Amino acid sequence: MSLRVQDLAVSFGGVEAVAGVSFDLAAGQCVALVGESGSGKSVTARALLGLAGADARVSAAALELDGAPLPAAGAPAWRRIRGARIGLVLQDALGALDPLRPVGREIGDGLRLHARASGSERAGRVHDALLRAGIENPVLRARQRSGELSGGLRQRALIAAAIALDPPYLVADEPTTALDAGIGRQVLAELGRLKAAGTGILLISHDLDAVAGLADHVLVLAGGRVVESGPTTQLLAAPEAPETRALLAANPAGRPRGTRLSIEDRPPRHGRATREPPIEPARGVGGPPVLELRDVGVVHRTPDGPFSALDGASLELRRGETLGVVGASGSGKTTLARVAIGLDAPTSGQVRRFGKPGGSGPGALRAARGRIGLVGQDAGGGFDPRWSVERTLADALAAEPGGRRRTRTARRRAVAALLDAVGLSGSLAGRAPASLSGGQRQRVAIARALAAGPELLVLDEPVSALDLTVQARVLDLLDDLQRERGLGYLLISHDLDVVAHASDRIAVVEAGRIVEQGDAARVLAAPEHPATRRLLGARRPLGGAARAQTDPVS
Amino acid sequence: MLWAVATIVFVGIRLVPGDPALAILGGPGSQASAEALAAVRAEYGLDQPVLVQYGAFLGRLVTGDFGESYVLRRPVADVIGAQIGATLALAAASLVVAWAIAIGLALVSTGRSRWARSIGGGIETVAAALPQFWLASILVIVFATGLGWLPAVADGTPAGVVLPVLTLAIPVAGFLAQIMRESMLDALAAPFSLAARSRGESETGLRLRHALRHAAVPGVELSAWAFGYLVSGAVVVETMFAMPGLGRTLLQAVTLRDVPLVTAVVLVVALAYLVVTFLADVAATLIDPRRRDAETGDRPAPTPRAEVAA
Amino acid sequence: MPSEPAGTTGARRILPIAAVLAVGVLALAGCTSGDAEPTTDASRTTLVYASGDAEPTCLDPHVGGNYPQALAATQFLESLVSRDEDGEIIPWLATGWEVSEDGLTWDLTLRDDVAFTDGTPFDAEAVKANIEHLQDPATGSSTGYLAAAKITEVEVVDDAHARFHLSAPDSALLESLSQPWLAIESPVGLSRGTDENCLAPIGTGPFAVQSWTPQDRIVFTRNDDYSSPPADAGHEGPAYLETIEWRFIPDPATRYAALEAGQVDVIDNAQPDAISRAGEASGIVELDAPRPGASNRIEFNGSKAPFDDERVREAFVRAVDPDAGIQALFFDTAERSYSPLSSVEPTSVGDADLFTVDPDEADALLDEAGWTDRDDDGVRTKGGVRLTAVFPISTNQSTAAEQSLFEQFAASAGEVGFDVQLQPLDLSSWYGALAAHEYDLVSAPYTKVGPDVLRIVYHSDSMTPAPSGYFANLAQVDDPEIDALLDEASASQDADARAAAYADVQERLLETYRLLPLYDQQNHFLLTADLEGVRAMPTVSTPTFLDARFTS
């Protein structure tokens, strides 16, 4: 009894997206498909459910579910298979559950479609599924909509939807991406339980760590083809294909400060191709603090009473060093960033920038403009979609003292220089942001932040939306830039691995308070506060020992 | 806002040529004597300075005194009370029918077959562009004169209401369907639709259970606007099909310069519009409680599209 | 009275009867004897009438006084006298009349066997009460008030005799009294006050107002005690129909569609296209009943330039071609008129030769009048002033076909150098423009029984505006000789002398081109062929259903 795939190929309008994929998924087993965005993982997964798209052409030497071939595309027979024989767990629970319908209904849909059960029976099974997914108080939760649930509950609800029918096979498409580490771990644990109970799981992810704990067999895809496959332990221990190695290398977990994460050739910077060896951090740390927060508090007025987003936060940042701020969603990290840059005013305490007391609001922002840059998470939303890259950067350059007086040629040259600095080809200048990849967009965002020659960059979740390998490259770029220009970084992330890799000092935030702060190495090795310990404990299973073996020293 | 409407009406009526005193006395052709005109002017305060008249006008409105119709010699409130039911019923019925047509059109134009989609889309666009006068005439020619299925004018039977309601409903249905189709297409491409399909949901079930609800929200919001359109369309339809109602009343009142009646009708319509807008807001929030949470009043993030090739 | 929404075409019949009442004549022939009964459908007793005119605001025709009121009042009110097709005054509620030598006293003998539907007897007291009601400013009468202007007092001699005292001789008194706007209502009904009487006036007619739902319909029910038809009616005794439903359908297309579909039985204001369509359809017949009074004509404002110059007036007449326009736009439903009076007036006089179309002659006349220069647009100028003619058009009264006709005229006149500026206006604005003398050309119908309308429209007294600003002499004719003729005709009791005087007036008006006659005031009705016995009253051409019944 297995899901057997042999030589699966999917093409769209003549263009081949996936080819030559073969694996066997047996009950109680887990097969993982990993690769970068665009490698064809999701297409493959969806093709197994007949959901690759109306214009997809799927062909395979064999595509069998428990011995019987899967139906042709568009056939009504699919409806009996989907949900009941093969389940699908999607990535983003907020989007994957209809925001206008109560969660219980979403879960109950599967039952309605496949099981002969009366309304009350269905309700009972829905509650059951919610409990199994780890949600307490299922009666209340079933009535709520996905927007009313917290991130973790939402994800579990999504799992509940998939398991309500106990399908023998489950496809999980990026189930942990964009989730807090703690919740991600819970999701993986749940999947593990299902696997132990006999469900065959096809796990799609670009995160090898997540894969490592669950999968028995791994296929690495790149460009629609399988570049390497084998049992998990073997693959992780001795990766052969360059893509696999790049994937492993890109994982910042446990990688010391200053080591490169990406190993591929990048577009030449400053005219040189670089494959630099890891460098010991030796930066120009020191000088007066460029940013100080003293006992800063931010209190919001809400209909339910005053809510304290920040309380008694104090920190310092100097040029050339990175202060990493880490904490779970909603812990107050973003408020901290906004106060630091001057977008929000603190209700108590003091903020000093470049040695001077800083206010907030338009005046303060203008004063600080050019000296502080901001890089946010989703660069796509931060750009005017009608402006070309060149225009965006030129606009940012105009903020520099003397920037407005530039001639057109001088502007063009400045823009080209910026693009070069972030490792992008000058030919991208005329493109619209929407036409760039996620990684390219984020680089442009960094270029924009650098345009006016700042001394300090505030980076709010700069890499959370990026693929692992792309993330690796961007982190390396930030490193290079910091070394070259002596920038101070306030790095905010929910991902402890990223923070651990990239920071000199770490501040841990929980419920609006900085509960621990200090040298990165110290905090990671000997955490004092329980929150820190929790964060550390939630880190991915692929811990220190296995990492060392994959350190790509060339 | 009602105050603004009242002021606009006051100013507008005064800008239109035609002596109100004459209107009171029975129209321009009446051989009113000088004494009679003077008496009327004094009684109605028409000889006062404009600002004084305006003040008196507002004062009366605030106390709910709409006065007496110049032409009909009956309290305006009575006239409106007698006619408003018919117009509201017409507008409501038209809105319901428009929704039914719009949902049908939207389902077709988001369907699976390409030619059905383009035909559906084409019908929506054409319907939205139809002028009511023309549409009414065509419907009468085809269904009343030509096929003889329906009466040409309203005659108290349900059949007599079909053509008027269709005349109003079809253009509104076109608008509604266009917006709903946009939302439905968004919803059908969203991750939750993929998730629903993965549970074995049929395309029809997907549309009825998921997409329609998403499409309903902008539709409900548009319905508030549509109400205004329907009320103004009621003027045309009530005249053409000889139905009682506020539209016809208003037309006659404007022609004859019946100031109190015009003022009152316009205000009533404005008030009704406010109420409908409020109700639409409530209804939309019931369907989509996320609107409540948007602090700045912005719409919540549009439904994200699922990446197929990721 | 100035007419309200037009219905339109005119037909100038040489023979008095012609085929005006094709159905009516047949029906009359069938019913006059009273005993020969065609196969009637006794089960259909309700007639549905759909009017294209505006719904009256008051059913009492004493109040205001317009044509929609006359149409409705014909069903339930009656006048002292009526008129037959030859134009002769015939008895109705009054059986006889005598006028004194000096013309200042009229003795009317009244019927003594008639009662109003509320039981009140019809007598001289009632007549007196009605005339006083008309003359009371509080009533707000315009048409009736004007018509009764010379009556100083009505004296009750006895129940069956009323004596009218006049301030000056009025040869048109009986003609005025024949109109529905001076119909006789129950004095008890009148005493209820205007507001209540407006809802359901009480009369002596073959039907009575049962109910009126504004914006919906008026319902008339048969007066079972009816006994007072005019001398030319089809039969004695009550009407055959039991109920008349009177509806208002303003849009011509739906009105006609309703008739075709059988939803209504009679419609008025039938447009040329509907009439020609009905001609082809079986099942629908036409009743052509031109309104009395003035014809449908274009008048020139003779009080100011450019039309104060007779040559310019004639030039305009020569430049435009009404015959061609009427033929094209009215589908042969209207006949060209060359008289200021309606063709139903026996005293009407016209001369087609005066109105030949000759654009070259028009050019010559304008040159002679001094309009020799032209500006860049081809419009003639004189002393720097353009030859402009402002033409306000009342959209309530001029039908679509008529407006198109005027547009054709504007184009034709433009070719000889006129700049005709058409201004479509709603009723109130139109009256305003007229009152302010902002017109050079105008088309204003006037419905009245009898040639006395000439005095109202062309006597110099009518140039004086009423307090409302309105004046009837739009052509601004200020001719002492015409005034003298009109006064003489008004005072004369000699029918021939009257006719001669009115003929003289008409000739003078036509020869000096004070007006351009077009056609009779159009008044076409379309009926289902199942209906017989419908005729138009020869007074103001409103249909009466006294003799009407359905055939199977």
Side-chain angles (χ1 to χ4, degrees), chain A residues 12 17 36-43 46 49 51-54 74 78-84 86-90 92 94-102 105-107 109-110 112-114 145 147-148 158 161 165 301, chain B residues 112 114 117 187 190-206 208-218 284-293 295 300-310:
Chain A
F12 295 93
E36 280 191 359
S37 296
S39 56
K41 325 186 290 289
S42 283
V43 172
R46 307 241 175 108
L49 279 145
L51 288 174
W78 271 114
R79 301 223 296 270
R80 279 192 293 281
I81 296 179
R82 291 182 195 143
I86 307 180
L88 178 64
V89 179
L90 283 177
D92 166 27
L94 189 55
L97 291 169
D98 189 335
L100 299 186
R101 295 178 86 214
R105 288 267 199 88
E106 294 281 282
I107 300 174
D109 264 353
R112 175 181 48 81
L113 289 163
H114 297 282
R145 291 169 215 214
E148 297 171 74
L158 200 56
L165 282 164
R301 306 221 152 280
Chain B
R112 314 213 68 185
R114 197 166 305 151
R117 277 204 299 273
F192 56 79
S193 286
L194 179 64
R197 285 192 185 101
S198 74
R199 288 192 283 270
E201 185 72 80
S202 63
E203 289 299 308
T204 321
L206 189 59
L208 292 179
R209 265 175 245 281
H210 288 84
L212 213 46
R213 199 175 304 216
H214 284 262
V217 174
T285 308
L286 278 177
I287 301 177
D288 183 1
R290 295 178 296 176
R291 299 169 94 244
R292 231 196 328 240
D293 307 327
E295 275 178 285
T303 42
R305 285 184 178 263
E307 312 286 340
V308 173

Side-chain angles (χ1 to χ4, degrees), chain B residues 134-162:
Chain B
W134 185 86
L135 182 58
S137 304
I138 292 287
L139 287 175
V140 166
I141 290 175
V142 170
F143 290 103
T145 310
L147 293 168
W149 289 352
L150 294 167
V153 294
D155 56 0
T157 66
V161 174
V162 171

Side-chain angles (χ1 to χ4, degrees), chain C residues 42-53:
Chain C
S43 62
R44 285 174 77 177
T45 56
T46 300
L47 178 141
V48 182
Y49 180 97
S51 178
D53 284 336

Side-chain angles (χ1 to χ4, degrees), chain C residues 40 65 125 172 185 195 226 230 263 268 281 339 364 411 448 469 471 474 500:
Chain C
T40 52
E125 282 284 354
E185 303 176 41
D195 286 349
Y226 181 66
Q263 274 187 285
D268 60 23
S339 168
K448 185 180 197 295
F471 51 91
L474 293 167

